Amino acid sequence: MVLGIDERIDGVNLGNWLVLEKWMDPKPFTRSAEDDEIWMHRTHVSLWSERNLAEELRRHRETYITLEDFRIIVGHGINLVRIPIPYFIFGDWPGHPGCITYLDRAFRWARETGLKIMIDLHTVPESQNGFDNGGLTGVCKWAQNTDLVEYTLNVLERLARRYRDEPALHSIEVLNEPVSWSVFHSTSNTAKDSHEASGSTYVSLRFLKRFYRDAYARLRAVLRPETVIVFHDGFRLLRWGGWFRRAGMRNVILDTHQYLIAMEDPLFSGPARRLYLRSRQLPWLYRMLVGASGIVIRSAARRIPVLVGEWCVENQWALHSQNRSAAYRQVSRLQRAAWDVSAGQIYWSYQLARSAKPGSGEGRPPRDPRNGGNLEAWDLTRVWRHGWILADTPHDDVP
């Protein structure tokens, strides 16, 4: 399968495989009782041993994603998998076992099944956002440490050298979700160690441009010309303008993450909440929110190809609807029609807690360990099972 920059991406994220997130599957965190991966590693090493930690991680990674999953993904018409990886992937960061052999394995499976791979550097030391998906909750200090920034650039360069000749390599994303001022100050993530979190702040656009320029130079010097380099928008999609073009970058994509559940959250705290949730038809609210996102993406895409690198069908209206399946299908069609203005879309995520039968979405619905909420809509295997995304349904039948 050949997938170039001008061809549409229809992908899925392989979240929680090489970068663990407790909300997606609490099982690997059971013994440590920690809330993020870095503290889970630290606790395992301090209470048991690094060998014990390596064995725990091996058991998870050996079974969570397999060749059969790649076959199932291809069978649903998907052409690319985005694979989040940690900064310690090469096993050279003390206390954190590496996982490069699993990425090697993914490339072997991709060659066999025809899938393309986007490598996504999802975490960096001391975190770029303070989210649990950044590995270390409540801490965001990476950008302030030049040694850590250089380490990150070195990891990217090593990845490029290792996989540059892989026919399945579509792209490398240099960093997931570096946090903006507004997002940083609107979250309430609490660090376990307040001293470690001291000095945490957002990642400035000025720094991010410098880092992106350095990352591009390192990667483009190694990668084949046809390999795409992907940059996250840093939650500032319209702030980039023609910067990438002026910087002389070629064959690049700007990644934006569009979650309806995040868009609607502030609006559901007011008096209109009950009205929205009781609506029998798709509320005007969703047309407004998704439509506005589509307009913003279209505007940014005039300067650089834009990819919706994470999205899902989760929303409060469907959760409270008397006909959940119909509500999810309507919201799914509405989003996919809006994202059509982009270079493609990548669902988050392929699965949460793994079903006994790969890709089936069977078993008890996954629950949020933080509040017990139903998380099925984040799990594409369960979305497929329920028919909430119908691949053969045209977008223009949204009522």
Side-chain angles (χ1 to χ4, degrees), residues 65-131:
I65 297 292
T66 66
L67 172 59
E68 180 62 19
D69 294 298
F70 272 56
R71 290 171 173 159
I72 290 166
I73 288 167
V74 169
H76 280 85
I78 287 173
N79 57 20
L80 178 143
V81 288
R82 179 175 180 256
I83 304 182
I85 63 166
Y87 62 88
F88 48 83
I89 186 167
F90 289 105
D92 57 355
W93 197 272
H96 303 288
C99 49
I100 193 66
T101 57
Y102 296 96
L103 191 55
D104 289 344
R105 192 176 298 180
F107 274 100
R108 187 170 71 247
W109 296 337
R111 291 195 303 271
E112 183 172 333
T113 58
L115 275 171
K116 290 294 185 177
I117 288 177
M118 177 186 296
I119 302 173
D120 157 45
L121 185 59
H122 217 68
T123 71
V124 288
E126 295 191 357
S127 188
Q128 74 280 19
N129 53 36
F131 306 154

Side-chain angles (χ1 to χ4, degrees), residues 214-361:
D214 291 344
Y216 176 86
R218 298 269 192 108
L219 291 176
R220 189 52 73 206
V222 176
L223 294 172
R224 291 175 175 269
E226 64 269 23
T227 304
V228 179
I229 299 174
V230 182
F231 302 94
H232 188 265
D233 66 1
F235 304 101
R236 290 158 278 204
L237 182 54
L238 290 181
R239 294 287 302 278
W240 294 96
W243 180 81
F244 292 95
R245 186 183 304 159
R246 292 194 301 272
M249 298 187 187
R250 61 187 187 277
N251 208 10
V252 297
I253 289 178
L254 188 61
D255 174 20
T256 185
H257 297 171
Q258 300 287 333
Y259 285 116
L260 185 54
I261 193 73
M263 298 177 205
E264 69 179 0
D265 188 58
L267 303 177
F268 273 82
S269 59
R273 171 185 169 87
R274 186 179 298 250
L275 176 64
Y276 294 144
L277 296 183
R278 287 186 174 181
S279 174
R280 294 187 177 183
Q281 299 297 323
L282 187 67
W284 62 268
L285 170 69
Y286 291 90
R287 292 183 182 275
M288 179 186 73
L289 292 174
V290 176
S293 292
I295 291 171
V296 171
I297 292 170
R298 187 188 298 274
S299 177
R302 295 191 182 105
R303 306 292 188 88
I304 179 176
V306 176
L307 168 73
V308 180
E310 293 185 17
W311 75 285
C312 74
V313 300
E314 182 65 287
N315 67 91
Q316 293 194 46
W317 178 60
L319 278 173
H320 294 84
S321 175
Q322 292 182 348
N323 189 337
R324 292 178 65 220
S325 290
Y328 275 127
R329 282 195 291 269
Q330 290 182 64
V331 171
S332 166
R333 291 196 297 270
L334 184 65
Q335 289 186 91
R336 289 186 296 129
W339 308 159
D340 272 351
V341 303
S342 74
Q345 52 200 289
I346 308 178
Y347 200 91
W348 187 278
S349 182
Y350 171 66
Q351 66 183 355
L352 274 64
R354 185 173 178 81
S355 301
K357 182 180 178 183
S360 68

Side-chain angles (χ1 to χ4, degrees), residues 143-160:
Q144 303 172 50
N145 189 318
T146 55
D147 289 339
L148 298 183
V149 173
E150 176 58 32
Y151 175 86
T152 302
L153 291 168
N154 183 258
V155 169
L156 290 168
E157 190 171 3
R158 291 170 69 186
L159 289 166

